[in-house]
Each structure stands twice: as structure tokens, then as C-alpha cells.
Amino acid sequence: MCDRFATTGFNANMMTYLTQELNMPLAPASNTLTNFSGTASLTPLIGALMADSFAGRFWTITFGSIIYELGLISITLSAILPSLRPPPCPTQQNCQEASSLQLSVLYVSLLLTSLGSGGIRPCVVTFAADQFDMKKSTLASQKWNFFNWYYFCMGMATLIASTVVVYIQDDVGWSWGFGIPAIAMALSILAFIFGSVLYVKLKPGGSPFTRLAQVIASAFKKRKQLVPEDSKLLYQNRELDAAISVNGTLLHTHQFKWFDKAAIIREGEATNSNPPNLWRLATVHRVEELKSIIRMLPIWSAGILLVTASSHQQSFTIQQARTMDRHLSHSFQIPPASLSIFGTITMLTGLVLYERLFVPLARRFTKNPSGITCLQRMGIGFTINIFTTLVSSFVEIKRKDVAAHHNLLDDPKAIVPISVFWLVPQFCIHGVAEVFISVGHLEFLYDQSPESMRSSAAALYWVAISIGNYIGTLMVTLVHKYTGKEHNWLPDRNLNRGRLEYYYLLVSGIQVINLIYYVLCAWYYTYKPLEEAISKEEEEEDVDHHEIPFKRLDVTNGFGDHVELARNDHQTV
């Protein structure tokens, strides 16, 4: 929570810092933030590889947090030292922009925080889930969902930062506004390290990308071989796979059968005395790891355009809010960046209502412990989010109509006599969508990924955000470049003469196309089949009854999306 508090405090009002303190134009400032967000969401792939391969999640989080703290210290120094900022420009006309040196300090800070995020983001949620018994057999008796409450705690931290820190940045000063998140981050590092003796720490199972490459290489070498009809003739070695299948072995599936060639046993390849050359022979479990990732990719990719749709919404909304009446009283105004609290509050309230009301009600009809599947949950979120940008477009039309009525279109610093609360509905709708999309996406990636690749799967969540932000940058750049100078949709300074509503309508259309694509992908998705390892007590009971000591989790019923895995205190038979 301290980490999320620091991250939100650092990012929430950065648009204001770039445009008001560093005097950057609107489009370059917005693109700087989306590029930074894209980079910060791409580095988790590196952190996940480290965590799953050799470092483990605990040490990856620790080192990533320290690097992130260095970035926070750097940006705090730039806010303290006047020489690292250009002269103030209260009129926002003919401003002197930040010099190359001043921008280099900013970019170094952003780079350090991006690298630090790479160690934190893919590992925190999976490391936290490692502390709980997440196996299927205990799910039905749970009265709560880990991912819902994880996201709830992150939302609480976001809410505090969006109010307290943003207010300090706007009304006290940027040195304290950046300094407080830096202090919070330092405290989180100390708390995390001192609590290390309490944690369950699963050992890394080796490079997951190497295993995937081995399966592909082995299948390619045997491309002329015929796959046997009986899957039992394919190579299986539970002892070899023990480190990467602690909680259960993936069962053979008939999808992507070409990769089954990797598990065909040729003469002399597999003996009891020597382990096989994994670049020539792969086990069924390793083949199914690759298949699981391939099956997940279409669902994962649907999240990319969703991020693109909202990548610039926060920055543009802040600029809109600066032109609107933000007074709550005669002396107090809402900071523009604090408007996001309405989305956060909606999301927090929605998570509680979802957990306490929606799930029990839906469970009566679906017989699913989670109420609905994570794919259904994501689909609902995709649908709701379309209305976010539609409402944004209508509100911008209303704001400009009021500005035109009062002859304020040519004054970029004028306060249009329209309440800033017109912007609240779009944040609330987005908050409702978050309840369904983000939690469902995290749960899907954790649940359907091979257990030894969960950090890597969590990294996919951030990679989608990264690609979405980069596409958003490209889209804004093209819109800004090709919509002309006189009636540019996204002007540099005067938003009143822009056509921001057209941009929002364009984004809405993209989301409709993306929803159709997602529905098709979800319709044809097949959940992974798993033999879940059972405890010693259950094994003894099953042996007494002459039963096979494995529980096959059938994914054809309504429980398929919850093939939840156990912790490292269960043995694999």
C-alpha cells in the first residue's frame, strides 16, 4: 500500500508539473507521460524473468523498490532546486520551456522509476497470493476473494494519495508533494525487508522462456514425426517436472497438437539413468505450459486497446478541469488531479458490493464459487468502459458551449462558468468498469498461467498497459499532426479551440471493435486442465480406498476459471 501511495502521489499530478512548472506544451507533455507509463509497464517483463528464473519474488521486489526510491529522490531534488526548472510562466503564453539539462533530470528520474517498477509490479500480487492457500478445493469455502481485496487495498492507497498528496503539490509545494511519496516508499522498503522472516518464499523454477524455447525447438526438430493417437505414449517425467509443478501437473490437451511433437520419444532419447536433452525432448507438462500461454494471448491482447482508450484521458481531463469552476467553498478549490478520487471511490464501493451482493446472488444461478467466470467479468467491464469515453465527449461539448456563450473561447486561462462536477460521471463509470476489468484480468492471468510462470503472467498485465500507452502516444501524435492547425483536435495551449470531443468519439469506436474481438476470443477459449497435488493426509485416505492420488480439475463445468493452485506445503505425487 505504501508503494501504491508513492506511485500514485508521483504520477497523479505529473501533468500539472510538466505543463505548469516545466512549461511543456499539452501534446508533448501528455506523450511524455504515456511514454513513461509505457516504459514502466514494459520493464515488468524483465523483473518477471528475474523472479521466475533465479532471483525469486522477494529479492526482485526488494531491489526494484530501491531503484524506484532513487527515482523519487531525483524528481524531488528537481522540485527543490530552482536551477532544475525554467522561469515561471503564469500567463501560459510565450513561455520559456525547460532546457535540455532540466529535461534530462526529469527523464533520468522517470527512467529509474520505470526500472524500479519492473521489479515491483509483476511480483507483488503473485508474492502476496503465495502467502495464501489458493487451491481449488478450498475456494468454495472461502468467504472472500483475494484479488478483490488486494485491489481494494491498492484503491485505498490511491485514494489517499489522490487527495492528500495532490493537495500538497498544488497548495503547499512540489518539493513536499514529491518528498512525501519518497518518504512513503522508503518506509515500505523497510517494512518489507523487516517482515521477510514471515513470508512464504517459493523457489524459482528456472527460466520459463528457456523452457518455452526448448519445446518449440524440440517440436521443430521432430516436425516430420507423427503424433501418436494415445497421449499416454508421449513423454512424462514427474520427477523432472517436480520443481515447476509443485501444486499439480498440467494434463494433455488436443489443442495446438503440432507442439505435441516435442514430447514424442525417439530411440535413445529417454532413459531412467540419464535426464533427456530438453532441447530434443520435452515433457507433456512443459508442452502444456506453452499451450497455456498461447491460449491466454488473445484474451490478454484485448486489454491493449482498452489501455489505449484511456491512456490520455487523465491528462486531458486535468486540462479540462483547469478551465472549469472548481470551488467547493469561497476559499477552497478541488485540485484538478484529485478528480480521479471519484473513480477510486466508485471502484472501492463497487468492489465491496460485488463481493457482498453480486457474487452471492450470481452464485445461486451459476453455481460458480466466484459468481461469474473471470472472462465474463472482463467482458462486462469492456462494455461499461465504452460509456466512459462517450460521456467524456458529451461533457466536452457542453463545456465548450458554455465557453462560447460567454465569449471565452480565445482565452486559454479563462475559467469557464461550468462546474467541474460535470467531469465526475465519466470517472464513476470508469470506476465501475475497473471493478470488472482489472480484477478479472489479474485473476485470469494468475489462474490460467502455469504455476512456475505466474510472475511472467503478471508481467503480461503490465506489458499490455505498456503497448496500449505506446499506441495511445502514436494515436495522439497522428491526430495532433493531421487534424490541421486552425481546428486541431488537440491544440498545444488553448483547449477551447480544440476538438477533444472528436478524439473521445474516435476512442469509443475503437473500444466497440475491441469488444467484438474480445467476445470472439472468450467464446473459443479453453481453460487449462490440471491434476492438483493433494496433501499427505488426502493421499493416505485415497490410497486406502485404492484411488489415484490426484484430483483432476475438469474445466468443462462452471468452475473452470478457478483452477486455483496450492501453496508449497503440499507434495506432488
Side-chain angles (χ1 to χ4, degrees), residues 139-264:
L139 179 66
S141 61
Q142 286 182 183
K143 301 300 182 184
W144 57 277
N145 181 294
F146 165 75
F147 294 97
N148 282 344
W149 288 103
Y150 172 87
Y151 213 76
F152 181 87
C153 291
M154 297 304 101
M156 286 298 298
T158 300
L159 179 64
I160 296 171
S162 299
T163 50
V164 176
V165 176
V166 169
Y167 176 80
I168 291 173
Q169 289 170 345
D170 278 358
D171 293 272
V172 178
W174 287 95
S175 56
W176 277 109
F178 286 142
I180 290 176
I183 293 171
M185 188 67 201
L187 292 175
S188 76
I189 296 172
L190 294 176
F192 184 72
I193 293 175
F194 283 126
S196 63
V197 296
L198 304 174
Y199 306 144
V200 173
K201 301 172 187 173
L202 301 184
K203 294 181 179 180
S207 172
F209 298 106
T210 299
R211 292 199 303 276
L212 298 182
Q214 287 172 336
V215 173
I216 295 173
S218 178
F220 181 78
K221 292 174 182 177
K222 299 175 182 177
R223 59 190 180 277
K224 296 182 180 180
Q225 298 283 322
L226 294 177
V227 178
E229 292 293 331
D230 188 357
S231 62
K232 294 180 181 179
L233 298 177
L234 297 174
Y235 183 59
Q236 300 192 51
N237 189 329
R238 295 190 186 277
E239 184 178 352
L240 180 64
D241 292 333
I244 59 174
S245 60
V246 173
N247 302 308
T249 302
L250 292 172
L251 298 171
H252 176 263
T253 62
H254 294 288
Q255 282 185 308
F256 313 117
K257 293 192 68 173
W258 187 85
F259 293 109
D260 289 341
K261 295 176 183 290
I264 296 175

Side-chain angles (χ1 to χ4, degrees), residues 68 89 155 174 343 431 447 449:
Y68 194 95
C89 184
W174 287 95
D447 203 42
S449 63

